[in-house]
Amino acid sequence: MNISVTEKAGKRIREILANDERGNAVAFKIDLKAGGCSGFEYAFSVDSPADTDEVVDYEGIRLAVSKESQERMEGTIIDCDEEIWGWKFVIKNPNALATCSCGKSAAF
């Protein structure tokens, strides 16, 4: 599985994982769920990886991608955009045929 994380996103993910009391038992999970304005919505969570998840160590960050999402997430870059009202993850997915204007969903 080839997923990249920018420096800004890596900082945010490390902060999120550091605040979880379960320590090394958890990973930053990325899934594509049916929904959103383009057909699939990106979902993030901190949880123990399922047996079917692909777990990748990216520069010390444990990333887990569900089996159903792996093919669609191949080559994806996770970035972080900081705005005046907060921050959000930005997904740059080369497999997406279209994305919505907010960047939270994609069509495949």
Side-chain angles (χ1 to χ4, degrees), residues 2-82:
N2 180 22
I3 293 181
S4 301
V5 179
T6 66
E7 188 175 328
K8 284 195 302 187
K11 179 182 174 191
R12 289 289 181 186
I13 293 170
R14 284 183 183 89
E15 289 171 359
I16 291 167
L17 290 172
N19 288 324
D20 194 284
E21 296 174 355
R22 295 171 286 179
N24 292 334
V26 298
F28 187 76
K29 292 186 73 164
I30 307 160
D31 285 314
L32 284 166
K33 305 284 186 186
C37 25
S38 295
F40 287 92
E41 187 171 24
Y42 294 104
F44 304 101
S45 63
V46 174
D47 205 351
S48 298
D51 292 338
T52 57
D53 289 348
E54 170 106 16
V55 179
V56 177
D57 180 46
Y58 185 83
E59 297 182 7
I61 300 170
R62 280 184 81 201
L63 299 173
V65 181
S66 69
K67 182 178 181 177
E68 301 79 25
S69 302
Q70 289 172 16
E71 188 175 320
R72 291 183 176 116
M73 293 296 294
E74 184 67 33
T76 294
I77 299 170
I78 302 171
D79 197 2
C80 183
D81 190 15
E82 297 186 30

